[in-house]
Amino acid sequence: MKYSAKQIATLLHGTVEGDENIRVDDISKIEEGKPGTLSFLANEKYTNYLYDTSASIVLVRKDFELQKPVKTTLIRVEDPYHAFAEIIKIYQQHIHNKKGKEKPHYFDKTASAGKNLYLGAFAYVGENVKIGDNCKIYPHAYIGDNVTLGDNVTIYAGVKIYHGSRIGNNCIVHAGAVIGSDGFGFAPDKDGNYKKIEQIGIVHIKDNVEIGANTTIDRATIGKTLIESGVKLDNLIQVAHNVVIGKNTVMAAQTGVSGTSKVGSNCMFGGQVGISGHVDIGDNVHIAAQSGVPGNIKSGEKVMGTPAVNANQFKRNYVLQKQLPSLRSEIQELKREIARLKSE
Amino acid sequence: MKYSAKQIATLLHGTVEGDENIRVDDISKIEEGKPGTLSFLANEKYTNYLYDTSASIVLVRKDFELQKPVKTTLIRVEDPYHAFAEIIKIYQQHIHNKKGKEKPHYFDKTASAGKNLYLGAFAYVGENVKIGDNCKIYPHAYIGDNVTLGDNVTIYAGVKIYHGSRIGNNCIVHAGAVIGSDGFGFAPDKDGNYKKIEQIGIVHIKDNVEIGANTTIDRATIGKTLIESGVKLDNLIQVAHNVVIGKNTVMAAQTGVSGTSKVGSNCMFGGQVGISGHVDIGDNVHIAAQSGVPGNIKSGEKVMGTPAVNANQFKRNYVLQKQLPSLRSEIQELKREIARLKSE
Amino acid sequence: MKYSAKQIATLLHGTVEGDENIRVDDISKIEEGKPGTLSFLANEKYTNYLYDTSASIVLVRKDFELQKPVKTTLIRVEDPYHAFAEIIKIYQQHIHNKKGKEKPHYFDKTASAGKNLYLGAFAYVGENVKIGDNCKIYPHAYIGDNVTLGDNVTIYAGVKIYHGSRIGNNCIVHAGAVIGSDGFGFAPDKDGNYKKIEQIGIVHIKDNVEIGANTTIDRATIGKTLIESGVKLDNLIQVAHNVVIGKNTVMAAQTGVSGTSKVGSNCMFGGQVGISGHVDIGDNVHIAAQSGVPGNIKSGEKVMGTPAVNANQFKRNYVLQKQLPSLRSEIQELKREIARLKSE
């Protein structure tokens, strides 16, 4: 999809200086500009790049004064940074402006959807599924029986949502994520064989949640695994059965939360964090990457390490670790001193 | 799918007290009861909730005496807890009672399946695949050429099984799991470029195995990657080429087992455990979450930490770590004492 | 797919001794030989197995002298090991020799592909996609709009490639991998709600790259996430937005690289390694499994631990850790000595 300088200037209420027919299909930073891209000059520090850039079009301030000729085409606008952001927004809307129903798809006759549905080819929508307005369901998405999706939900390619899951408004679920798979529950019999404990609860995801690629969220044994509104989960995260994650908590990639643990609101977890089962993490808790959390953490705490401790304590311990060689030397020295004292 | 009080009473040989036409499509705990749900009262401690519950139907003992009127509809049964479990079982069978072949699907003419196959829309079954009786293959599942599935196998949506894999009876594979992808094997040439070592073995999964969502099990370089019967793997686990996992071993989410390692039977691994390549883990070994295992572990051991050591030793070490500040203080004190002794 | 002894002998320019019509469809080691398999005898140490093996066909040296009769069929060749490798190569080419377009598939009218395309059933190829020669796109693969694939690329089942991603020649992407999902970028507003930062960059993967099952590579916020040629990524790896991974670097399973970090060429990462954001890892760096890397690492370093330190230093620290009990005893002993000295 290529846009001409003229088209862009029209969108931005700007004026073209140069070739109004030159076309771009990508964007670039002015210092890395390439032919076929659009860039912008907002910060005066970068002015020098304007004269050498290979970007095809550059947005500049309305009243910007050229010191010498440029090869690029200029579009003069009120506020280049703001205009650039506007163009990106339009571009994104265009990219994500999929519409209609591609064929073949599977849409059960008992399912329903609101207006402006995009249904990709090979998407599957099961029995009694209810889909709100303005939803996008990409190819190979699987929406199991009795699932509900709110308005403005985007389900990317190959997402699998098991039966009965509920997803709120304005949620985004990235490719390959699995929602509602069985919780990991087994009871050993007397011979050491494990018998499956049926997992009959659901996953409930509230509004404005974004879920990363290949992340997995298990259904509850009974009741619900609950993701509160505004939560952001990165890729390859594991959320076990009956977990609750509070409002606006964000977790980086490859973190795992074990069964029945409760995480408060506005927490920030680094990547590869592990939370044990049945623990209670307060609000506004920060957990450093790769930490292992075996027990409860109070609201407002910052922790790190395995087992995770207060971040300041962790750093003190770490300094002490590093002093071990000198502690050992000091002990040797003390021994020699005492030997000398005794021999006196 | 809604059930009326009358239908449920008939299934349970119970008697309705209240509105026999009221309908439910979910279950709830009596203390969290909501309209449209079925609950039960088995433990007398919860009796008070009966009078306030919003659950539409509650199962109670045949001879239960009401102290005051209730809003909910009662079904009187011999044993409410047992009856509830029975209803859950029936409900689960109903949920998972998918039958027939949805369209479109791809079923190669050289493939075969036993009786009662459920084949979801967009499922793919390749050349010479052999499928046993009572199998369920959900939408977007990919069953590569020459794969065999035993009886009563459930393959959830979007599972990918590469060519030649063998899966036993009564196995469950959750959405997004990948079975039989190439092992990670490369040989550097003299220029530092890596040449792929062909991975021509298979994955062999025996009976009663459950595999979690987005878990990956690589095929062997030669021979087989072997998952013995009764093994339970949680979500996002990595099992590398030529690994053997013994009978009834269970592993929590995000654990990884490196190439050619052998894990015994009846082991329990916490989440995010890492096992090095070419190591031998005995039977009945317990490994705590996030442990890193660089070498062999004897049968019956309980280990934790990175590198993993005996759990008791780990705890002793941990206590010593915490004593480092006081050890340092003691050394300072000793120095002062000696200085005093010397000056005397 | 079964091959007769006669067919194999013809391929290998060998001679059959025994039943030329016996057929095999698998391979085995001579000491584990089973009916229906082909094996070989190259190392004299294994000669005894020849007389007992159940393998249907065994490749032996042209001039090999039998000491007693064998049950198996022999094929005499110049070099049995080399011949076996040759057969495996042919077998692999056969397994992976998918051709043509299975139906149904979705191939947008604006997309194009070179010669010898294999397009599996339910594969999706979006707008303006450009596919080179000799590519294989397995069932349920999703190739988003404006993606380009070079020549000889294999995309396994269920891979999801978001719009605009670029993949070079001779790449292999394993099942369930996700390429080009949004980077994890959010800005908090004054109420603590997170607003999505649009991710408008791409993923660019160069030549000869292999990507493991269920691995995720996020698109750049702006610009590109770059995987240089020859990189090999194992399963379940996370590569965040704007990361650069240098030529011929290999990473084992479940490793994660955080946003905007730069990894040099010819590095080797163990499994479950975590790299913080915005760090710079040099060339030829070795990072041990489960290490956590919070900062830059110079070229040629070997590191381990969390936080990762030079491997030799890590080992010294570890020895000191183990000496803690004896250090504590020594301190106690010193105290007693001093008490004695004082009381003298």
Side-chain angles (χ1 to χ4, degrees):
Chain A
M1 184 62 43
K2 296 210 169 202
Y3 301 87
S4 70
K6 192 175 175 184
Q7 286 172 313
I8 294 169
T10 305
L11 280 167
L12 298 174
H13 308 292
T15 53
V16 181
E17 207 165 298
D19 177 2
E20 70 173 23
N21 295 316
I22 198 164
R23 290 152 80 89
V24 294
D25 64 352
D26 201 357
I27 58 171
S28 63
K29 299 178 189 170
I30 192 164
E31 67 272 30
E32 299 170 353
K34 285 181 197 144
T37 67
L38 169 75
S39 193
F40 71 103
L41 175 64
N43 186 331
E44 296 199 356
K45 283 199 312 188
Y46 291 86
T47 304
N48 281 337
Y49 290 109
L50 179 66
Y51 302 103
D52 296 321
T53 190
S54 299
S56 299
I57 308 176
V58 180
L59 309 180
V60 297
R61 269 205 336 276
K62 213 166 171 175
D63 55 359
F64 178 78
E65 291 183 23
L66 283 174
Q67 303 303 317
K68 48 182 172 174
V70 292
K71 293 169 292 178
T72 185
T73 291
L74 303 178
I75 298 179
R76 294 184 174 273
V77 293
E78 207 61 62
D79 177 346
Y81 178 77
H82 185 263
F84 188 71
E86 185 65 17
I87 281 291
I88 284 172
K89 207 171 139 198
I90 292 166
Y91 175 74
Q92 283 294 89
Q93 281 167 354
H94 170 77
I95 287 283
H96 295 292
N97 196 24
K98 292 282 182 184
K99 277 199 172 141
K101 297 181 186 170
E102 295 168 357
K103 284 187 181 170
H105 59 256
Y106 183 99
F107 194 92
D108 191 88
K109 62 183 186 297
T110 60
S112 65
K115 61 184 181 190
N116 296 326
L117 175 67
Y118 164 60
L119 190 67
F122 315 122
Y124 181 101
V125 178
E127 295 174 21
N128 299 310
V129 169
K130 283 177 185 49
I131 300 174
D133 289 341
N134 308 312
C135 287
K136 292 180 174 60
I137 299 179
Y138 277 74
H140 310 114
Y142 166 81
I143 317 288
D145 297 347
N146 300 302
V147 168
T148 62
L149 305 183
D151 295 335
N152 310 309
V153 172
T154 299
I155 303 294
Y156 278 106
V159 168
K160 310 302 173 199
I161 306 181
Y162 280 57
H163 59 277
S165 305
R166 295 180 206 164
I167 296 185
N169 300 313
N170 313 313
C171 290
I172 298 172
V173 185
H174 280 283
V178 175
I179 294 170
S181 40
D182 282 352
F184 196 62
F186 302 92
D189 68 11
K190 58 186 191 311
D191 302 323
N193 298 313
Y194 287 91
K195 245 194 102 168
K196 184 173 178 68
I197 297 170
E198 294 297 336
Q199 306 287 313
I200 60 174
I202 63 159
V203 173
H204 186 176
I205 294 172
K206 295 203 171 167
D207 297 344
N208 306 312
V209 171
E210 184 157 342
I211 293 170
N214 284 347
T215 280
T216 59
I217 304 178
D218 280 350
R219 65 197 312 109
T221 306
I222 184 165
K224 57 175 74 168
T225 303
L226 179 61
I227 312 294
E228 289 283 2
S229 63
V231 167
K232 311 295 179 187
L233 301 182
D234 200 351
N235 299 346
L236 292 167
I237 284 174
Q238 152 73 352
V239 178
H241 49 181
N242 293 86
V243 163
V244 175
I245 300 180
K247 211 176 150 180
N248 290 334
T249 280
V250 297
M251 296 188 185
Q254 297 178 318
T255 282
V257 184
S258 304
T260 317
S261 283
K262 194 170 174 315
V263 178
S265 58
N266 296 97
C267 293
M268 296 184 74
F269 288 16
Q272 299 183 334
V273 165
I275 309 288
S276 287
H278 298 267
V279 307
D280 207 326
I281 312 290
D283 297 333
N284 299 299
V285 170
H286 289 216
I287 305 182
Q290 283 196 334
S291 299
V293 179
N296 297 348
I297 299 183
K298 286 185 194 144
S299 289
E301 278 256 40
K302 289 185 174 33
V303 302
M304 63 197 309
T306 302
V309 294
N310 175 283
N312 291 327
Q313 188 190 329
F314 181 88
K315 285 166 194 165
R316 281 195 302 270
N317 288 353
Y318 186 65
V319 168
L320 276 168
Q321 297 285 339
K322 285 196 168 170
Q323 293 176 344
L324 273 179
S326 72
L327 288 185
R328 190 174 59 169
S329 306
E330 288 177 50
I331 292 171
Q332 303 315 321
E333 179 56 27
L334 286 170
K335 280 186 183 172
R336 282 189 290 273
E337 295 264 21
I338 288 173
R340 257 175 262 137
L341 281 170
K342 282 163 75 176
S343 66
E344 274 171 13
Chain B
M1 183 62 42
K2 297 210 168 200
Y3 302 86
S4 70
K6 192 174 174 184
Q7 287 172 312
I8 293 169
T10 305
L11 281 167
L12 297 175
H13 308 293
T15 54
V16 180
E17 207 167 296
D19 177 3
E20 71 174 23
N21 294 317
I22 198 165
R23 290 152 80 87
V24 294
D25 65 352
D26 201 356
I27 59 169
S28 63
K29 299 178 189 170
I30 192 164
E31 67 272 29
E32 299 171 352
K34 285 180 198 147
T37 67
L38 169 76
S39 193
F40 71 103
L41 175 63
N43 185 332
E44 295 200 356
K45 283 198 313 188
Y46 290 86
T47 304
N48 281 338
Y49 291 109
L50 179 65
Y51 303 103
D52 297 320
T53 189
S54 297
S56 299
I57 307 176
V58 180
L59 308 180
V60 296
R61 269 205 337 276
K62 212 169 173 175
D63 55 359
F64 177 78
E65 290 183 22
L66 284 173
Q67 303 302 317
K68 48 181 174 175
V70 291
K71 293 168 293 178
T72 185
T73 290
L74 303 178
I75 298 178
R76 293 183 174 274
V77 295
E78 208 59 62
D79 176 344
Y81 178 77
H82 184 262
F84 188 71
E86 185 66 17
I87 281 291
I88 283 172
K89 207 171 137 196
I90 291 166
Y91 175 75
Q92 283 293 90
Q93 281 167 354
H94 171 77
I95 287 281
H96 296 293
N97 196 24
K98 292 281 182 185
K99 278 199 172 140
K101 298 182 186 168
E102 296 168 356
K103 285 189 180 168
H105 59 255
Y106 184 98
F107 194 92
D108 191 88
K109 61 184 189 295
T110 59
S112 64
K115 61 184 182 190
N116 297 326
L117 175 68
Y118 164 61
L119 190 67
F122 314 121
Y124 181 100
V125 177
E127 294 173 23
N128 299 310
V129 169
K130 282 176 186 51
I131 300 173
D133 290 340
N134 308 312
C135 287
K136 291 180 174 58
I137 299 179
Y138 277 74
H140 310 113
Y142 166 80
I143 317 288
D145 296 347
N146 299 302
V147 168
T148 61
L149 305 182
D151 296 334
N152 310 309
V153 172
T154 298
I155 304 294
Y156 278 106
V159 167
K160 309 300 174 201
I161 307 181
Y162 280 58
H163 59 279
S165 304
R166 295 180 206 164
I167 296 185
N169 300 312
N170 314 313
C171 289
I172 297 173
V173 186
H174 279 284
V178 175
I179 295 171
S181 39
D182 281 353
F184 195 62
F186 302 92
D189 68 13
K190 58 186 193 307
D191 303 321
N193 298 313
Y194 287 92
K195 244 193 102 169
K196 184 173 178 68
I197 297 169
E198 295 297 337
Q199 305 288 312
I200 60 173
I202 62 159
V203 173
H204 186 176
I205 294 172
K206 295 204 171 167
D207 298 343
N208 307 312
V209 171
E210 184 157 342
I211 292 170
N214 284 346
T215 280
T216 58
I217 304 178
D218 280 350
R219 68 194 313 108
T221 307
I222 184 166
K224 56 174 76 168
T225 302
L226 179 61
I227 313 293
E228 288 283 1
S229 62
V231 167
K232 311 294 179 187
L233 301 182
D234 200 352
N235 298 344
L236 292 166
I237 285 175
Q238 152 74 353
V239 178
H241 49 182
N242 293 86
V243 163
V244 176
I245 300 180
K247 211 176 150 182
N248 292 334
T249 280
V250 297
M251 296 188 184
Q254 296 176 317
T255 282
V257 183
S258 304
T260 316
S261 283
K262 194 171 175 312
V263 178
S265 58
N266 297 96
C267 294
M268 297 184 73
F269 287 18
Q272 299 182 335
V273 164
I275 308 287
S276 288
H278 297 269
V279 307
D280 207 326
I281 313 290
D283 298 332
N284 300 299
V285 170
H286 288 216
I287 304 183
Q290 283 196 335
S291 298
V293 179
N296 296 349
I297 299 183
K298 285 184 194 144
S299 289
E301 279 257 40
K302 289 183 173 35
V303 302
M304 62 198 309
T306 302
V309 294
N310 176 282
N312 291 327
Q313 188 192 328
F314 181 88
K315 285 165 193 165
R316 279 195 304 269
N317 288 354
Y318 186 65
V319 168
L320 276 167
Q321 296 286 338
K322 285 196 167 170
Q323 294 176 343
L324 272 179
S326 73
L327 288 185
R328 189 174 56 170
S329 305
E330 287 176 51
I331 292 171
Q332 302 315 319
E333 179 56 28
L334 286 171
K335 280 186 182 171
R336 283 189 290 271
E337 294 264 20
I338 287 174
R340 255 176 263 139
L341 282 169
K342 281 164 74 176
S343 66
E344 273 171 16
Chain C
M1 183 61 42
K2 296 210 168 201
Y3 301 86
S4 70
K6 192 174 174 183
Q7 288 172 311
I8 294 169
T10 305
L11 282 167
L12 298 174
H13 308 292
T15 54
V16 181
E17 205 165 299
D19 178 1
E20 71 173 23
N21 294 317
I22 198 165
R23 289 154 81 88
V24 294
D25 64 353
D26 201 357
I27 58 171
S28 64
K29 299 177 190 169
I30 193 164
E31 67 273 28
E32 300 170 352
K34 284 180 198 144
T37 66
L38 169 75
S39 193
F40 71 102
L41 175 63
N43 186 332
E44 295 201 356
K45 283 199 312 187
Y46 291 87
T47 303
N48 281 337
Y49 290 108
L50 179 66
Y51 303 101
D52 296 321
T53 190
S54 298
S56 298
I57 308 175
V58 180
L59 308 179
V60 296
R61 268 205 337 275
K62 213 169 172 173
D63 55 358
F64 178 77
E65 290 184 23
L66 285 174
Q67 302 305 316
K68 48 181 174 176
V70 292
K71 291 170 294 180
T72 185
T73 290
L74 303 179
I75 297 178
R76 294 184 174 274
V77 294
E78 206 62 61
D79 176 345
Y81 179 78
H82 184 262
F84 188 73
E86 185 65 18
I87 280 291
I88 284 171
K89 207 171 139 197
I90 292 166
Y91 175 75
Q92 284 293 91
Q93 282 167 351
H94 171 77
I95 287 282
H96 296 293
N97 196 24
K98 293 281 182 185
K99 279 201 172 139
K101 298 182 185 170
E102 295 168 357
K103 286 190 179 167
H105 59 255
Y106 184 99
F107 194 92
D108 192 87
K109 62 184 187 298
T110 59
S112 65
K115 60 184 181 189
N116 296 326
L117 175 67
Y118 163 61
L119 191 66
F122 315 122
Y124 181 101
V125 178
E127 295 173 22
N128 299 309
V129 169
K130 283 176 186 49
I131 300 174
D133 290 340
N134 308 312
C135 288
K136 291 180 174 61
I137 298 179
Y138 277 74
H140 310 115
Y142 166 81
I143 317 290
D145 296 348
N146 299 303
V147 168
T148 61
L149 305 183
D151 296 333
N152 309 309
V153 172
T154 299
I155 304 293
Y156 279 106
V159 167
K160 309 302 173 200
I161 306 181
Y162 280 58
H163 58 279
S165 305
R166 295 180 207 165
I167 297 185
N169 300 313
N170 313 313
C171 289
I172 298 173
V173 186
H174 280 283
V178 175
I179 295 171
S181 40
D182 281 352
F184 195 62
F186 302 91
D189 68 13
K190 59 187 191 307
D191 303 320
N193 297 313
Y194 286 92
K195 244 194 102 169
K196 184 173 177 69
I197 297 169
E198 295 298 337
Q199 306 288 312
I200 60 173
I202 63 158
V203 173
H204 186 176
I205 294 172
K206 295 203 172 167
D207 298 343
N208 307 311
V209 171
E210 183 157 343
I211 292 170
N214 284 346
T215 280
T216 59
I217 304 178
D218 280 351
R219 68 195 312 108
T221 307
I222 184 165
K224 56 175 77 169
T225 303
L226 178 61
I227 312 293
E228 288 283 1
S229 63
V231 167
K232 312 295 180 187
L233 301 181
D234 201 351
N235 298 345
L236 294 166
I237 285 174
Q238 153 73 353
V239 178
H241 49 183
N242 293 85
V243 163
V244 175
I245 300 180
K247 211 177 149 181
N248 291 334
T249 280
V250 297
M251 297 188 184
Q254 297 176 318
T255 282
V257 184
S258 305
T260 316
S261 282
K262 193 170 175 313
V263 178
S265 58
N266 296 97
C267 294
M268 297 184 72
F269 288 17
Q272 301 181 335
V273 164
I275 308 289
S276 288
H278 297 268
V279 308
D280 207 326
I281 312 289
D283 298 332
N284 299 300
V285 170
H286 288 216
I287 304 183
Q290 284 196 334
S291 298
V293 179
N296 297 348
I297 299 183
K298 285 183 194 144
S299 289
E301 279 257 41
K302 289 182 174 35
V303 303
M304 61 198 310
T306 303
V309 294
N310 176 282
N312 291 327
Q313 187 192 329
F314 181 88
K315 285 166 193 166
R316 279 194 303 270
N317 288 353
Y318 185 66
V319 168
L320 276 167
Q321 296 286 337
K322 286 195 167 170
Q323 294 176 343
L324 272 179
S326 72
L327 288 185
R328 189 174 58 169
S329 306
E330 287 177 51
I331 291 171
Q332 302 316 318
E333 178 56 26
L334 286 171
K335 280 185 183 173
R336 282 190 292 272
E337 294 263 22
I338 288 174
R340 254 176 264 141
L341 282 170
K342 282 163 76 177
S343 65
E344 272 171 15

